[in-house]
Structures are given as C-alpha cells and as structure tokens.
Amino acid sequence: MIPVNEAEAIILKAIAPLTETEIVGLGEGHGRILATEVTGKLDIPHWDNSAMDGYAIRAADVPEQPVKLQVIETIPAGEVPTQTLQAGQAARIFTGAMLPEGADTIVMQENAEREGDMVTILENPTRGKFVRSQGDYYRAGEPLLQAGMRLGAADIAVLAACQCPKFPVFRRPTVAIFSTGDELRSPTDTLQPGQIVDSNRYALTAFVESIGAIAKPLPTVPDDPAKLKETMQAALAQADIVLSTGGVSVGEYDFVEKLLEELGAEILMRKVAIRPGKPLTVAKFPDGKVYFGIPGNPVSALVGCWRFVQPAIKKLSGQKDNWQPHFVWATSPETLKGAGTRDAYLWGNLTMTETGYSFTRPSGGHSSANLINLAQTNALAIVPKGVAEIQTGDRLRVMLINS
C-alpha cells in the first residue's frame, strides 16, 4: 500500500496542466482560471476623491479651529468640479466625489457647522485626511492579477473596475464518469431484490462540477469486460480525466486494471494506505490522460475524490498552486479510533468554538457503505496510521471537504 502523501505526489506528478485557452467576459469569469497576467488601463482611484460626506478644504486654511470658510460649490458624486479652491474657501462634497483643484483635505460634516454660504470648521485636520488620492490602490500598466488564479467575486470586481471586460482563461477540464456493476439501477427504476441505486453517478457529477470542471456522466456499465472496455475507450476519447467507480478490488468481477493495461495505460498505483478507499487504481496513458478507478462504496468513492481526484483536477485546470486539500487543527469531544496500518479518514462536522475548531462525528454507523450520515458533513478527521486512537481533547488534523 502506498502512503497517502506519496500517492498524492505521484498523482500530481502525472498531471500536466492544460494549455488551451478561451476568451470570456465578466459574466462568465467567476471560478475560471486566469491564463495570462492582466494589467489594467486605469489608475485606481481614477482621480482624487472624497472618502466622506463633508467639506473639501485647504489644510493650510485651518491652522487652528474654529475657522470660517466660504462655500463656493457643491460637488456630488459623478460631477466634475467647476471651480478652484482659493485661500479661505471650501466646497461641499459627497462620498466618492472628485476633489476640486486646490483642495487637499476633507472635513467630515459632523465636524463642521454650515450657515448660508459659510461653514465653520470645528477641527484641525491633518493634510490629506479622508482623501483617496489617484493611483493610491493601483497604477495603470502595473500587474493587476496573476496567471493561474482562480477568479473569485472580488477578482471579477477588480477586472470590471479596471475596464477589463474580456480576458483569457484556461478551458475547463472534462471528466468522464461512470459506474460499474450488474446491481446498479437508476433512481427512477423499480428496484428488484439485490439491486441498488447508482448514487455515485450523481455524487461524482456534483463533485466534479463543484470544482469547476465539466462532468460527462456515461451510462452504468454491467460486469461485462467487453462492454466495460468499450465504455472506457469512449470515456477516454471525450475527456481529460476518467473517473469510474467499482471493479478495482480483487474479486472475480473486478476487470478495470487488466483492461487499462490492454488499452496501453501505465498503472501508477493500486492500493493506498487509507480507510475508507484503499483500492485506488490510477493509470496514465501516453497522451497524458489519467484514469482513476475508485471503489464503488459511496463513502469510499467520495473520500477518494476529495483526497486525490480534487488536487488532480485543480492542477489540470491551470491553477497555479493550492491544489492540495485545506487542513486545520481541531479537537474532538470523543475518542477517535485509528485504522492500524492505514490513515483513518473519519467524516463529520467542523465548527468554530471560542477555543478553536471542534470536530464531531455524526450519529449512526460509520461503514464506507453508509452514505446516509455522510450528508451535510464538511470535514474529515485524520487518525494517522499506527495511532490506535486520539483521545478526547487532543489535537488532530482535519481536512475540509468541498461537497
């Protein structure tokens, strides 16, 4: 069995990031991976402006307070000042409005008293107070956003503010998904004795789409080598990564590994020291495509995806870094049992308390076939191999999951 961290390293080494790009607009960019460095065309702020409602003044006119100044203009946001401030003058100004020539300071309206066209300044402000100067945040032509970034809401706002309405992103990875097994049926079928619903098809489709890839679910495949090989070929023809569930153990109906070799793949691993999810077949084809054969048990399938497939898809997508899962330290109100020679990944819920993160397990059985209490969980606590148990209140490493 390959240790978990070594398995992750082997998988990431096998993945070559995509290079194909496409141009998208602001409305399509959220969650995409930026393909090139972006530079903006505008200074941010575009011009000196006020950070407060109040009065634009010359700081030199207020060596002490109170001082009366003549109000010569009112400047709302969106309008250009028409006058230049001279000694002894002020302008009524609103948040975001452009500073008039000659002004260098803003006095909040709470620190001023207006009477007719005169205003009394009740404070002695420092020069530049509440002024947002042109280019303070960003200078046009400088690097704005880096290639390999996954664009979030704030990044889209930055692109919009700097008038970058279109930009290049890497194309989204495609992932073909199918399940194997004579017992599998659709959620709309009437089940006969011995039959179960193919929930993995829907879980893995949701998983793939949640990290920005394009899922291509294929029909369920019976335990027939010829039909399985045909489906594997079809999957490889239309996707960058193939993700199949079932058929990767050592039973008489487990054909995946043998067929991968027949199709010309190099088997990179067969088993990983993790529970659940020990059977993990990973193979790479000469054209760079990667095949993941994961267990059919629904919990094992998702744990394998969260721990191993997610980093692979993130790297493939062109994301520069941060491929690995996010881990935090927590404590648990109960003792957590280990899995002997394997790392135990125990599903549950991570919450923040006054003293730090706390991890709790859901009620019910914790078999890899029990999909029920996996619902609404958000983390996997890790008991390292060789550790019999982690006692109540002891620190433990917890992996956040993206469901």
Side-chain angles (χ1 to χ4, degrees), residues 101-165:
E101 290 290 330
D104 57 25
T105 303
I106 302 296
V107 174
M108 294 173 58
Q109 61 188 19
E110 293 87 343
N111 295 322
E113 290 181 353
R114 178 77 177 269
E115 186 175 349
D117 65 351
M118 300 298 291
V119 62
T120 301
I121 306 301
L122 303 176
E123 69 166 354
N124 183 15
T126 56
R127 188 175 185 274
K129 190 172 184 179
F130 298 129
V131 172
R132 297 185 290 215
S133 299
Q134 179 175 345
D136 263 0
Y137 308 153
Y138 172 76
R139 290 288 182 182
E142 294 179 352
L144 182 63
L145 297 176
Q146 299 297 318
M149 293 177 55
R150 182 176 294 275
L151 296 172
D155 306 314
I156 296 296
V158 165
L159 289 166
C162 290
Q163 291 192 319
C164 299

Side-chain angles (χ1 to χ4, degrees), residues 50-86:
S50 175
M52 292 286 177
D53 291 347
Y55 294 88
I57 67 167
R58 295 161 20 116
D61 286 343
V62 191
E64 57 185 28
Q65 73 285 348
V67 169
K68 287 189 176 183
L69 303 174
Q70 181 186 13
V71 180
I72 62 169
E73 186 176 14
T74 296
I75 312 169
E79 293 193 9
V80 178
T82 61
Q83 299 191 54
T84 298
L85 243 60
Q86 305 295 334

Side-chain angles (χ1 to χ4, degrees), residues 28 36 60 132 144 149 161 187 202 208 210 221 225 319 334-335 341 375 387 392:
E28 310 159 288
T36 61
R132 297 185 290 215
L144 182 63
M149 293 177 55
Y202 302 94
V208 165
S210 74
V221 184
Q319 186 169 316
E334 62 179 306
T335 296
T341 58
V387 175
T392 300

Side-chain angles (χ1 to χ4, degrees), residues 371-394:
L371 182 62
I372 301 303
N373 66 1
L374 186 66
Q376 292 298 300
T377 55
N378 64 6
L380 296 166
I382 303 164
V383 182
K385 65 179 181 180
V387 175
E389 58 185 27
I390 295 179
Q391 298 291 329
T392 300
D394 287 349

